Amino acid sequence: MTWMLFDGSIPSAVSFVTAPNESAASFWRTIEPYLTFLFSLSVFLIAFLIVLENRNPSRTVAWLIILNFLPIVGFIFYMLLGRNVRKRKLFRHKFISNAEVLKKLETAPSGMLDENDFWQYPHLASKRRLLNLMVNVSQSPFTLRNRSKILTNGDETFRQMIQDMSEAKHHIHFQFYIIRHDTTGQQFKQVLIDKAREGVKVRVIYDGVGSVRLDKRYIAELKKAGVEVVTFFPVILPFLNNKLNYRNHRKIVIIDGKIGFVGGLNIGDEYLGKDTRYGFWRDSHVRLEGESVYLLQNIFLKDWFFVTDENIEGDSYYPSLIEEPGEELIQIASSGPDSDWESIWQMYFSIIATAQEKIYITSPYFVPDDSISMALKTAALSGLDVRILLPSRPDHQTVFWASRSYFQELLEAGVRFYLYQPGFVHAKILLVDGVVASIGTANMDIRSFQHNFEVNAIIYNSNSVYKLEDDFINDLMDSKELTLKEYKCRPWHHRILESVARLLSPLL
C-alpha cells in the first residue's frame, strides 16, 4: 500500500526539513528513502493489523480511508485513538475487585431481586426480555426498596446535591467527567473542604481528559483540607498513552451510602446556562435512596480501587436501611472497557426492540450503530410513535454533522425529529411505553457504547418515569420538528459536512 501526492512523489516528513548546509542536505538525501520506506511500512502494518482485529467492518473501512488519504494524520490519530489494546488485561484487577464487591452485596440481607421475582409485577410482563438481559449482562441485580426523584436542570440538581452533601455524616464520594474551577466549581469545592474538616471522609475522582483544564490549585486546596483526590487515567504523553481512548464519563455522588445521584450534569457554570456559547442548558439528573445506592457505591469503589489500589470495605459504605425508602424497581447499569458485554448498548437496543406503543429519546449526541438504527426504523414502520429530541446547535461539530447524516433514512421510516431551540439539550433519556425509563451518562453514540465508562439508572413504572415523560413533552413544545421535506431542502454545504462526518461516525 503506497500513498502518492498529485505529482507522483511519496510524502515524507523529512522533505519539509531545510538543511542548514550542503553536508546536512546530503545526509538527509541519503536517509530520506529509508525513512520514507519505514514510515510507509509502519502505516501498511497498521492497516494490516486493523483488518486482522476483525472489528466492525464500518470501523475498519473508516480507519483504512483515513490512512489512505491522510497517512501522516491518520497514523497519528490511530496511535492516539484507534489501538485496540487488550482491555481485559488492562482492567483485570478492576474486574476482579468488581466481582468481590458484588459477591459481598449478594450475600447481604438487602432484599435484592432476581429474575424469579419479576412475575409478581404483571405490568412488566411485556419487558421479560429486557429484565432477563439486564440480569445476565450487567452483573447488577435489580433492587426494589428504592425512592427516586427526577431533578430537572442545573439549578435544582446542584441545590439538592449541596444540601445533601452538607448533611453528610460519614463519607462523600464525588466522581465527575468534568469539574471546572469556575464559580460553580468553587461552591462545590468549599462544601467538600468543609465536610472534610468536620471529619467526613471525602473522596473525589475526576477524568484526566474531561477535566484536563482543572486548575492545579483547585486540587491542591482540596488535598490540603484532607480530601482524597485522584485522576482517572491522567494523560501526560497522549501519543504514547494507550489509555487515552478509555474515558470515565460517569457523574456520581454518593452520600453516606444512603443517597446517590446520577445523570447528565457535570460541575461547572455552563451547566447552569451561564456560558453564552450554549445559552440555556437543558439537562436531567436523578436522586436515589435505597438499595440502588449500594450499586452506585459499588461502581465508585471499583473505580477507586482501580486508580488507587485501595480496597474500601466496611458496613458503613453499605448501611442497613432502617427506614423503608419506597418500593420502586430500579436497575443500575454500568458499562465500559472492563465489561464483558456492552450492557448499556444492549439495554438500549432491548428497550427499543420491546416497545409496544412509543419510544422517546433525548440525547445531545446521536450516532447510532446499524443495530440501533434498524431497531428505530423497525419500530416506526410498525406504527409506534418514535420521537427523538436533539440539540439545534452544535457543541462538537463533527458529531453534530454526523448525527444529521442519519436523519433521512429514519425520517423516511416515520421517526420524528425535534430540534431544541432555547439552548443546548444535554439530557440522556430513553422512555418506552410510559413503563421504563433510562437516565444517566450514556449518549446514543458509539463512544458511550464501546469506549467510555458509563452508568445509567433504569427505572420501572414509577412517578419518576411519568415525570421524565412530562419533561419530554414540555421539551417538545420548546422544539421545532424537522420534517423530511425540510431536511431534503437543506443547503448543499450541509450535505457535504454530513457526508464527511458520516465517514468518521464509526470512530466517534
Side-chain angles (χ1 to χ4, degrees):
M1 184 180 297
T2 304
W3 297 269
M4 294 187 177
L5 301 177
F6 294 111
D7 62 359
S9 62
I10 298 175
S12 170
V14 299
S15 63
F16 299 104
V17 178
T18 301
N21 52 57
E22 186 58 33
S23 177
S26 176
F27 170 76
W28 286 114
R29 283 195 297 269
T30 301
I31 68 170
E32 182 174 3
Y34 299 101
L35 293 178
T36 300
F37 171 76
L38 290 174
F39 177 79
S40 299
L41 179 62
S42 66
V43 176
F44 172 80
L45 290 175
I46 286 176
F48 184 67
L49 289 173
I50 290 173
V51 174
L52 288 183
E53 282 177 356
N54 291 324
R55 299 177 176 220
N56 181 297
S58 60
R59 290 175 61 83
T60 299
V61 170
W63 277 117
L64 292 177
I65 289 173
I66 292 174
L67 286 171
N68 190 55
F69 288 99
L70 298 168
I72 297 176
V73 175
F75 177 85
I76 294 172
F77 270 91
Y78 180 79
M79 297 301 293
L80 189 65
L81 299 174
R83 289 175 292 171
N84 191 16
V85 300
R86 297 294 181 183
K87 295 183 290 186
R88 287 281 294 181
K89 181 177 180 180
L90 183 62
F91 300 107
R92 180 178 297 162
H93 76 286
K94 186 172 191 287
F95 178 81
I96 292 172
S97 175
N98 182 37
E100 290 173 349
V101 176
L102 282 174
K103 184 177 180 180
K104 178 180 178 180
L105 285 175
E106 289 169 356
T107 58
S110 58
M112 293 184 179
L113 304 179
D114 61 32
E115 60 268 31
N116 297 321
D117 299 313
F118 294 145
W119 316 123
Q120 59 185 293
Y121 306 100
H123 57 277
L124 296 177
S126 64
K127 305 304 175 189
R128 179 173 181 174
R129 285 175 56 195
L130 173 64
L131 297 171
N132 285 334
L133 172 76
M134 295 315 300
V135 168
N136 290 330
V137 304
S138 68
Q139 298 188 28
S140 180
F142 285 82
T143 59
L144 173 61
R145 298 170 63 194
N146 298 291
R147 179 167 52 238
S148 64
K149 177 183 179 182
I150 300 301
L151 303 169
T152 305
N153 299 324
D155 284 330
E156 184 178 5
T157 302
F158 292 162
R159 184 168 58 250
Q160 184 70 63
M161 278 184 185
I162 289 173
Q163 177 183 329
D164 289 334
M165 289 166 59
S166 299
E167 298 172 0
K169 304 299 183 184
H170 182 265
H171 67 270
I172 296 173
H173 291 160
F174 192 83
Q175 176 176 5
F176 284 88
Y177 177 63
I178 295 173
I179 300 176
R180 308 285 192 203
H181 52 270
D182 52 21
T183 301
T184 301
Q186 296 292 337
Q187 188 176 10
F188 275 92
K189 181 189 72 175
Q190 192 58 52
V191 175
L192 295 172
I193 288 174
D194 290 344
K195 299 310 294 185
R197 288 173 175 168
E198 291 175 13
V200 173
K201 196 68 175 178
V202 182
R203 299 180 177 93
V204 175
I205 302 175
Y206 67 92
D207 185 77
V209 169
S211 300
V212 68
R213 297 182 181 179
L214 184 60
D215 195 323
K216 292 181 179 179
R217 291 173 296 180
Y218 186 103
I219 300 169
E221 290 177 30
L222 287 171
K223 290 182 175 180
K224 184 178 179 181
V227 178
E228 296 184 54
V229 186
V230 294
T231 311
F232 193 96
F233 275 175
V235 178
I236 301 172
L237 297 172
F239 293 106
L240 301 177
N241 194 323
N242 61 6
K243 305 168 186 176
L244 182 64
N245 208 29
Y246 303 129
R247 305 320 316 168
N248 198 313
H249 196 240
R250 293 167 179 160
K251 297 98 175 172
I252 298 173
V253 178
I254 300 145
I255 298 139
D256 292 340
K258 299 177 181 179
I259 298 172
F261 293 84
V262 65
L265 287 150
N266 290 293
I267 303 300
D269 287 349
E270 66 203 77
Y271 305 99
L272 291 171
K274 296 181 179 181
D275 191 324
T276 56
R277 293 175 298 173
Y278 308 119
F280 178 73
W281 191 276
R282 173 69 188 90
D283 219 324
S284 295
H285 233 74
V286 61
R287 179 184 187 268
L288 301 173
E289 294 179 86
E291 293 165 339
S292 58
V293 180
Y294 295 171
L295 304 178
L296 280 181
Q297 184 81 286
N298 172 45
I299 293 167
F300 178 91
L301 294 180
K302 177 182 64 176
D303 288 346
W304 185 265
F305 177 77
F306 178 68
V307 294
T308 67
D309 285 325
E310 180 185 6
N311 193 14
I312 306 296
E313 295 181 314
D315 294 337
S316 298
Y317 296 99
Y318 301 95
S320 300
L321 301 176
I322 299 175
E323 298 180 3
E324 185 67 44
E327 291 190 359
E328 292 185 38
L329 186 63
I330 295 177
Q331 162 84 18
I332 302 297
S334 64
S335 66
D338 59 333
S339 304
D340 286 332
W341 303 95
E342 291 93 355
S343 56
I344 291 180
W345 184 10
Q346 293 168 315
M347 176 267 291
Y348 277 169
F349 176 83
S350 183
I351 290 179
I352 293 168
T354 58
Q356 296 182 321
E357 297 178 11
K358 55 191 176 183
I359 301 167
Y360 296 158
I361 295 171
T362 301
S363 182
Y365 315 117
F366 180 75
V367 185
D369 71 309
D370 291 342
S371 61
I372 297 292
S373 181
M374 181 57 70
L376 290 170
K377 288 187 284 188
T378 301
L381 288 168
S382 300
L384 276 64
D385 180 13
V386 183
R387 308 189 192 196
I388 301 175
L389 176 64
L390 301 173
S392 62
R393 63 188 72 175
D395 70 332
H396 298 294
Q397 293 286 343
T398 305
V399 181
F400 178 83
W401 292 111
S403 296
R404 275 142 181 76
S405 71
Y406 293 88
F407 283 6
Q408 182 163 334
E409 57 191 282
L410 291 166
L411 285 166
E412 289 175 342
V415 176
R416 301 173 68 180
F417 282 93
Y418 296 81
L419 305 180
Y420 191 70
Q421 300 299 308
F424 188 78
V425 61
H426 190 253
K428 302 101 164 41
I429 309 295
L430 174 59
L431 294 155
V432 168
D433 297 339
V435 175
V436 180
S438 171
I439 175 174
T441 68
N443 298 306
M444 192 71 70
D445 63 12
I446 302 300
R447 172 150 296 282
S448 283
F449 293 157
Q450 297 186 2
H451 297 302
N452 287 344
F453 294 88
E454 306 281 5
V455 57
N456 280 33
I458 311 168
I459 306 171
Y460 296 86
N461 202 56
S462 74
N463 289 332
S464 290
V465 177
Y466 311 143
K467 175 64 165 65
L468 286 170
E469 188 163 317
D470 287 343
D471 284 351
F472 183 85
I473 298 301
N474 290 332
D475 289 338
L476 293 188
M477 297 174 64
D478 289 328
S479 305
K480 180 181 184 299
E481 183 172 5
L482 178 66
T483 65
L484 179 60
K485 181 179 179 180
E486 289 173 329
Y487 178 75
K488 287 183 175 180
C489 293
R490 67 197 186 281
W492 64 268
H493 64 279
H494 286 190
R495 298 170 185 261
I496 295 175
L497 290 170
E498 290 169 6
S499 297
V500 173
R502 178 69 174 255
L503 292 174
L504 301 175
S505 63
L507 312 179
L508 298 177

